[in-house]
Structure formats: C-alpha cells, structure tokens
Amino acid sequence: MVDNSPNESPCSSHLAFGGNGGSVLRLITASSQCPFKTSDGVLLNVECFGPNYGGGGGGIDNIHASTADHSMHKRSMHNSDEWPLLLYVHGVCESAETWGVQTLVQYCAKHCWRLIVLELAGHGLSENKAGLGRATCPNFDDLINHVVEFAGQMSGKFSRSRGFAMCGCSLGGALVSFAVRGILATRRDKTEQHEHPDFY
C-alpha cells in the first residue's frame, strides 16, 4: 500500500531515503504480517508484500497497476496466489522498512513475485533472546536456524505459490548461504514423503 496521506513530510536530502532534493517519500507498507515463534522461543516478525494477501489493504496492487501493462496486471492478479515467493533476509541494523526492501517490493510487483521479509531477532518488530538488546544478533548458528525455519514456515503458509527463491543483504546474504543446507535437507525430506518440493 502506498501512503498518500496529506501529512507526509518531505525527505529532501536524507541519503537513506534516496534524497533527491525535496521529494516526498512514500513508504510501501506490507500487506500482512506473518509472525512465528522459532524452536528456541524467539518471536520473529515477517513482513509480506503482495496483492491484498488476507484482505490486508492495498498490498502492491497499486505499484503493479502503475508499472505494468493493464491486461497483464488483470491476468496476474487473478492468479496471485500462485505468485512465486522471494524470501529476503536483511542485514545488521536493518528491517523490512529499509530502502533496499522498498526497491525490491517494486521489482517484485513488476514481475509478479510476492516478497516476504524476515526481520531478524532484535530487529524491526522481532523480539530478541533474553538479555540481548535491539540490533544485537544472537549466536550465528541460531540465526541460521531461524532462516531455515523462516523458509519452512513461509513455504507452508503460501503453499499455492509456484515455489520460492531466497536472497539476503550483508549478514542476511551470509545467513541464506549457510541456511541452504538445512533448507535443502528439509525439501529432500518432503520429497521422500511424496510432498511437492517447492524450492528451486
């Protein structure tokens, strides 16, 4: 959903918001949140950017409608439950509201992908382990396990999608790289149990 409220404030020169001299920042907000509790008891927030998922207002339809051919927009919105997922993990001191995520939202909308962003422990709206403050990462192995669980949770929640891909930025990219082994093991188990594998 694009915020067009009348009380927007110009972000004229702040580099974090792509400052280009007096432009107005329009933050694209998630169409839903899918928090889940990890096996080690941490409540993690997940921001879902997609077309009105779960009736949650706005989503990315407005971006899609303004950036794509109208007939393609109608066809793709009709099958939006099948949009593939792009699972994204941010870096240290980031969240689902950083400029990189905003850019990804627009790209995914144009190409009919649903963007799902994990907010790491202690970041964004996610909790952290007891005794750890905000933007403080727990043990690296714990974070890897959180990413593996994130992939499992979201592929289950969006089971009608045409599969998923994963990427990350900075720390998130490293976590995705290390988590792939655990994710593939989970996918292999599903295949052996004659379930549809959803990771490509």
Side-chain angles (χ1 to χ4, degrees):
M1 166 168 57
V2 178
D3 180 8
N4 291 319
S5 60
N7 53 357
E8 297 169 328
S9 60
C11 298
S12 56
S13 61
H14 197 293
L15 291 177
F17 297 110
N20 57 0
S23 67
V24 175
L25 172 67
R26 286 176 170 64
L27 181 69
I28 304 161
T29 58
S31 50
S32 67
Q33 294 175 319
C34 302
F36 71 96
K37 191 163 277 227
T38 62
S39 58
D40 59 351
V42 179
L43 183 63
L44 297 180
N45 185 52
V46 176
E47 298 283 325
C48 306
F49 296 88
N52 282 332
Y53 173 72
I60 56 180
D61 330 2
N62 295 335
I63 301 167
H64 197 283
S66 65
T67 58
D69 173 83
H70 184 67
S71 60
M72 183 181 110
H73 173 67
K74 285 180 73 172
R75 283 195 310 274
S76 63
M77 292 306 288
H78 177 70
N79 297 321
S80 63
D81 285 350
E82 298 176 2
W83 284 16
L85 309 176
L86 179 57
L87 305 180
Y88 179 79
V89 183
H90 63 74
V92 175
C93 298
E94 294 183 346
S95 71
E97 294 184 345
T98 55
W99 193 247
V101 170
Q102 295 292 302
T103 302
L104 271 177
V105 170
Q106 294 180 44
Y107 183 83
C108 287
K110 288 178 190 177
H111 297 282
C112 301
W113 280 68
R114 188 182 307 272
L115 178 64
I116 313 292
V117 181
L118 171 66
E119 292 188 318
L120 294 171
H123 293 73
L125 298 176
S126 290
E127 295 178 351
N128 208 345
K129 287 191 161 192
L132 294 177
R134 302 300 301 157
T136 304
C137 294
N139 177 293
F140 193 72
D141 288 335
D142 290 343
L143 290 175
I144 292 170
N145 291 333
H146 292 174
V147 173
V148 172
E149 292 179 39
F150 163 61
Q153 290 280 334
M154 295 305 110
S155 62
K157 183 160 191 70
F158 296 95
S159 59
R160 293 189 57 202
S161 76
R162 293 186 317 244
F164 68 91
M166 292 189 77
C167 67
C169 175
S170 187
L171 173 64
L175 291 171
V176 167
S177 297
F178 280 99
V180 165
R181 180 177 291 147
I183 293 166
L184 289 176
T186 304
R187 300 298 100 197
R188 203 172 301 113
D189 291 345
K190 276 189 167 187
T191 304
E192 289 170 4
Q193 297 169 7
H194 306 292
E195 293 183 35
H196 174 67
D198 52 8
F199 182 69
Y200 302 106

